[in-house]
Amino acid sequence: MAHASLRRNDNRIIIHFDYDCFYAAVFEAEDPALKSLPLAVQQKQIIVTCNYAARRRGLYKLQLITEAKKACPDAIIVLGEDLTRFRNASKSLYNFLRSHTWSDRAEKLGFDEVWMDVTDIVEYNLALLNQNSLRDSFFQVSREDPTQGFSYDALTVAGQSWSAGLGTRLQAQELALNDLDALEKDLHLRLTLGSHFALFLRQRLYDNLGYTSTVGIATSKLVSKLVGNVNKPNNQTTMLPPYIATECYPSNINAFLDTHDIGAVPWIGFKLAQKIREYVLQRPAAFQTGLVYGGSREKVMVGDVRNVPDITSSSLEKLLAGPGAPHGIGTKVFGLLHGIDDTEVSQARNAPRQISIEDSYVRLDNLAQILEQLHSLTLRLLQRMRIDLLEASDADEPALTSLNEASTKQWLAKPEILRLTTRPRLPLNPDGTRSRTFKRISRSMQLPNFVFNLAESEQDLTSRLVAETLLPLFKKLHPEKSGWNLSLVNVAVTGMVDTASNAKNAEGRNIASMFKKQDDFFADFKVTDEVSNKPRENVTEQTEGVNESDGLEKSLASVPDIESDVSQWENDSDGDQNLRDVRCSECGQLMPHFAFVAHERYHALEPWRFKAEERSPDDVDVKDSV
DNA sequence: GAGGTATAG
DNA sequence: TTTTCTATACCTC
């Protein structure tokens, strides 16, 4: 009873993806020739990331440019201050992964991390297993089309695994597996299926988009994220059972977590870590001053904390609670230290909750400058709104452009609030020094509706928005007539409300499904025999090619040496398929395959049009185009 | 709803 | 904590 809320739920299978040196990988995907060269991405005066060729030559993250040039004069250093290309690549990768979930539980963290809850897919495939031939299993990635998927060995975990015994006493561990109780054995099997699915997704991510990734497989967001780090880059690690300690075995989860610094535990950030360290050390935790970045801290391990007898949920609550701290923080942190994290992988969203643009300044202290900056930030904000809140651009789908000549794009969501944030520089102290502050202050207003008018130019809208709302907000924020000194300005839209068309979209077919590859689309449509004299089996040829897990692992292992295969995105569909007509299962329309992507998107965009009595003249265009 | 804090990459 | 620009969740009033 004591820990009813602290018993771990290990029923889920969760995969955490982390794309390898993402910024550098984006440049490599654009120009595959860079893959074999030392490549670093620069923002301001530092290397924000670099590829492994560069790391072998002595470069590292957050290194000063001057140092980097000294260490490796012939490194290629590219400027990465404009985030557009990273944002676009991130969206493509995310939509691709999302299209491979059934529950649509796919959560993004920053540009380069994604969690997927694949419990339903694993359970489904568990039921398909033939206990007599586990070595020759087939993993179905689509419920609709049983031929889509890959064959695999359900007796072997794909990729690397983590277990307290591995590496030192492999044999003993194998024996231990047989001694696990039924629940842990079942968990072992579900994790095994998860590991094969993860390998399949990594392979597709590389084949279709040209990105390698580092992946963790476990039963929570916490452990999947942490365990992935054990083998990187371009690899995957599964946290093996036993998850629950018995008299005979320690829990692998606890053994794993205990060796981590508390600050390395996700969601135990700087503040919480410092408070916990102070409690355990019985004195303020010392900083290492003088470090450029981050790790100024004394090490206190999770195991050290767990073994302090008076560390309980309630003692942690007392220690960590305070104004602003989340309620139940003690229970939450106690759980994290014990590898318990029941937070769900959140449902994919078609629109962000907030968009903000900010810039920092060495000196920003007169109205003319401030107005100029407000204008520039606001313009960028309105541009971002049209990119991120409008239905998918057709630039990558020429077929659809012919369907909607004019801008018939709809808002996926509309923000209702406009917020202006600044970071004032503190006035001089009496002794002439200036203490630094990173405190921000903000004011907000209702966002006027005119910003959604697509007929008006972004420039015109910007001028009006600055005059009518941002300037009043600025005066509200800084009522004094002059003497401002701002080190940062941020303009944001928030209070996002999904529009009706998006809500409809979300409950039916989602945006991600439009992103599927052509061969994926064949799952949704029946190949019509009257126009296709090819045997139906041909449809799945390409998926059967990426089957045997050993082969997958080998090809992934050799990634750094082989050419990027982004072109496969366009080219890997079976040539014969290009000649085959297909029928839409939704409206019965017969058409060549190449019309499908547009056709499918057409359904998703305007589902109501297909009620016969509501057909608009636009439908004629659909027929004409096929 | 408004304004703030903590955490993350 | 301090490097910058975002994004999210959750707190108090």
Side-chain angles (χ1 to χ4, degrees):
Chain A
M1 166 255 116
H3 298 302
S5 62
L6 289 177
R7 213 175 52 237
R8 200 167 39 231
N9 166 9
D10 287 323
N11 295 330
R12 299 175 298 165
I13 299 296
I14 293 171
I15 307 178
H16 177 261
F17 286 84
D18 189 334
Y19 317 130
D20 297 324
C21 30
F22 181 59
Y23 282 12
V26 172
F27 284 102
E28 289 177 351
E30 285 175 10
D31 179 7
L34 293 171
K35 287 191 175 202
S36 53
L37 305 170
L39 173 71
V41 181
Q42 173 183 10
Q43 273 175 358
K44 301 281 156 89
Q45 279 316 299
I46 52 169
I47 302 290
V48 285
T49 194
C50 55
N51 66 9
Y52 279 82
R55 290 181 202 192
R56 283 192 291 271
R57 307 278 296 273
L59 302 203
Y60 53 90
K61 279 186 187 175
L62 307 169
Q63 186 178 32
L64 287 170
I65 293 292
T66 50
E67 300 282 324
K69 284 184 171 163
K70 229 181 288 171
C72 179
D74 56 337
I76 298 168
I77 300 180
V78 289
L79 206 58
E81 285 169 12
D82 178 0
L83 304 183
T84 310
R85 48 157 54 79
F86 309 132
R87 191 153 33 227
N88 291 341
S90 175
K91 201 182 282 183
S92 295
L93 291 160
Y94 174 66
N95 283 338
F96 182 78
L97 288 176
R98 177 182 171 182
S99 75
H100 283 87
T101 64
W102 293 356
S103 61
D104 216 16
R105 288 190 188 281
E107 182 178 341
K108 208 152 111 63
L109 182 60
F111 282 166
D112 67 340
E113 293 182 30
V114 175
W115 283 281
M116 286 170 71
D117 185 326
V118 299
T119 308
D120 48 1
I121 304 179
V122 165
E123 293 291 339
Y124 186 91
N125 279 280
L126 207 57
L128 295 179
L129 286 179
N130 179 347
Q131 294 297 329
N132 298 318
S133 57
L134 288 174
R135 271 191 204 289
D136 304 300
S137 303
F138 186 80
F139 196 105
Q140 253 181 256
V141 300
S142 159
R143 257 181 301 219
E144 289 76 33
D145 182 355
T147 64
Q148 279 206 24
F150 55 94
S151 45
Y152 69 105
D153 174 3
L155 291 174
T156 322
V157 175
Q160 304 296 119
S161 18
W162 198 95
S163 169
L166 280 183
T168 52
R169 32 188 273 278
L170 200 58
Q171 288 295 33
Q173 196 59 37
E174 285 299 318
L175 285 172
L177 176 60
N178 290 323
D179 290 340
L180 293 180
D181 69 29
L183 279 178
E184 298 276 12
K185 264 187 187 155
D186 171 71
L187 177 56
H188 192 282
L189 187 54
R190 286 185 292 121
L191 288 163
T192 300
L193 299 215
S195 76
H196 284 279
F197 188 40
L199 184 58
F200 169 79
L201 291 172
R202 284 207 297 132
Q203 178 68 49
R204 300 280 276 201
L205 224 38
Y206 183 72
D207 287 346
N208 294 343
L209 291 151
Y211 289 79
T212 64
S213 50
T214 292
V215 162
I217 302 103
T219 60
S220 65
K221 286 171 65 179
L222 170 74
V223 179
S224 61
K225 179 172 163 67
L226 271 180
V227 81
N229 294 331
V230 173
N231 295 287
K232 50 194 237 185
N234 189 23
N235 212 328
Q236 64 181 70
T237 311
T238 303
M239 174 57 71
L240 287 186
Y243 278 26
I244 308 289
T246 66
E247 313 81 51
C248 317
Y249 305 103
S251 155
N252 274 343
I253 300 250
N254 291 334
F256 176 67
L257 269 162
D258 280 355
T259 63
H260 285 77
D261 182 278
I262 47 166
V265 178
W267 308 294
I268 298 183
F270 181 80
K271 300 264 182 178
L272 290 179
Q274 281 303 91
K275 283 186 181 175
I276 297 169
R277 287 184 191 115
E278 192 167 329
Y279 183 83
V280 172
L281 296 169
Q282 301 287 306
R283 58 175 167 77
F287 287 93
Q288 282 173 283
T289 50
L291 275 183
V292 185
Y293 173 62
S296 48
R297 55 167 130 89
E298 251 175 290
K299 285 214 162 167
V300 172
M301 298 294 159
V302 170
D304 300 336
V305 185
R306 277 212 310 132
N307 292 326
V308 173
D310 59 346
I311 288 272
T312 62
S313 283
S314 54
S315 73
L316 284 171
E317 185 75 31
K318 267 181 227 127
L319 177 67
L320 306 174
H327 299 147
I329 181 80
T331 307
K332 174 71 192 170
V333 168
F334 188 85
L336 292 176
L337 297 178
H338 290 75
I340 298 168
D341 169 30
D342 287 336
T343 57
E344 300 236 358
V345 177
S346 59
Q347 291 280 334
R349 273 192 295 261
N350 294 324
R353 315 285 293 165
Q354 174 193 317
I355 302 173
S356 74
I357 306 285
E358 71 183 37
D359 209 344
S360 53
Y361 306 93
V362 179
R363 183 172 188 82
L364 187 63
D365 55 6
N366 70 67
L367 194 57
Q369 288 175 348
I370 288 167
L371 274 173
E372 188 189 331
Q373 290 309 312
L374 285 178
H375 195 94
S376 133
L377 294 169
T378 303
L379 177 60
R380 287 163 62 197
L381 183 66
L382 292 182
Q383 289 167 341
R384 277 286 304 285
M385 278 174 61
R386 290 188 178 186
I387 293 168
D388 290 348
L389 301 180
L390 239 31
E391 279 173 332
S393 160
D394 307 335
D396 52 340
E397 293 287 353
L400 190 64
T401 324
S402 66
L403 293 183
N404 322 337
E405 302 276 58
S407 67
T408 54
K409 283 196 205 165
Q410 303 285 315
W411 291 93
L412 288 168
K414 289 181 174 178
E416 291 189 328
I417 308 291
L418 180 70
R419 188 180 59 215
L420 176 66
T421 305
T422 64
R423 187 176 65 193
R425 206 169 255 112
L426 286 182
L428 288 174
N429 294 330
D431 62 1
T433 62
R434 188 173 342 245
S435 19
R436 295 240 264 171
T437 178
F438 292 86
K439 296 240 181 299
R440 294 168 172 224
I441 52 175
S442 69
R443 293 294 180 270
S444 50
M445 273 178 69
Q446 198 171 6
L447 178 67
N449 250 312
F450 67 77
V451 298
F452 302 116
N453 182 358
L454 294 173
E456 223 171 318
S457 76
E458 283 151 340
Q459 280 74 13
D460 290 349
L461 293 175
T462 299
S463 301
R464 208 176 144 193
L465 197 57
V466 169
E468 291 182 22
T469 63
L470 285 161
L471 202 51
L473 278 176
F474 181 77
K475 288 178 175 158
K476 205 165 146 194
L477 202 50
H478 298 282
E480 64 277 12
K481 292 271 172 281
S482 63
W484 322 286
N485 188 351
L486 309 179
S487 64
L488 176 140
V489 179
N490 175 303
V491 183
V493 286
T494 178
M496 217 60 81
V497 175
D498 279 0
T499 56
S501 73
N502 185 34
K504 218 189 285 176
N505 226 333
E507 72 192 41
R509 199 181 312 279
N510 62 47
I511 295 290
S513 74
M514 301 182 211
F515 200 84
K516 288 179 178 179
K517 289 183 44 193
Q518 276 182 16
D519 59 358
D520 291 328
F521 274 92
F522 282 82
D524 296 341
F525 304 101
K526 294 182 185 98
V527 176
T528 55
D529 290 337
E530 66 264 31
V531 284
S532 166
N533 31 12
K534 300 276 174 191
R536 202 189 175 305
E537 289 76 64
N538 280 7
V539 177
T540 59
E541 261 175 17
Q542 69 275 29
T543 55
E544 284 168 11
V546 260
N547 279 339
E548 184 46 46
S549 58
D550 284 351
L552 278 177
E553 197 60 290
K554 256 176 237 152
S555 69
L556 282 167
S558 64
V559 158
D561 302 315
I562 56 184
E563 287 295 299
S564 158
D565 219 351
V566 188
S567 59
Q568 227 178 309
W569 177 259
E570 287 92 30
N571 300 334
D572 73 346
S573 66
D574 181 352
D576 286 338
Q577 278 178 19
N578 295 329
L579 306 171
R580 190 179 294 132
D581 279 14
V582 286
R583 191 182 294 284
C584 173
S585 63
E586 210 155 317
C587 67
Q589 185 107 14
L590 188 68
M591 69 196 79
H593 90 281
F594 52 77
F596 256 3
V597 176
H599 183 83
E600 165 71 351
R601 207 192 269 237
Y602 190 73
H603 275 302
L605 287 172
E606 305 284 356
W608 52 267
R609 286 173 191 248
F610 285 88
K611 291 181 201 158
E613 69 278 11
E614 284 177 11
R615 286 203 171 194
S616 69
D618 287 8
D619 283 336
V620 176
D621 293 333
V622 179
K623 284 173 195 144
D624 287 347
S625 75
V626 295

